[in-house]
Amino acid sequence: FPTRRSSDLLITVISLVSQGITDSSLKYHIQNAKNNGVTLKEMADTLTQVAFYAGWPKAWAAFRLVKEVYEVP
């Protein structure tokens, strides 16, 4: 299988966050994005943009998972 593009992986994360799905399934997709080359900066920039449209509470929940996956202290 070819490597998925970063934009495809981020669209999945955006979709889940915008629906308020911030459970283990979101963590799985964040991990998958990281494993396929999405950087912490790309993920953080994307979630910051999403926060203005989907709401900051959803974004903060996603940021907590991003910190776990990217091992940010």
Side-chain angles (χ1 to χ4, degrees), residues 13-63:
V13 171
I14 291 166
S15 178
L16 292 170
V17 173
S18 68
Q19 295 176 73
I21 299 171
T22 55
D23 59 9
S24 61
S25 63
L26 176 59
K27 186 174 182 179
Y28 168 83
H29 287 287
I30 292 169
Q31 183 68 59
N32 189 41
K34 179 186 175 192
N35 293 347
N36 284 282
V38 174
T39 67
L40 175 59
K41 181 172 179 4
E42 290 171 322
M43 186 65 71
D45 289 350
T46 298
L47 289 178
T48 299
Q49 185 69 25
V50 169
F52 287 100
Y53 297 95
W56 282 99
K58 292 175 185 174
W60 284 124
F63 275 122

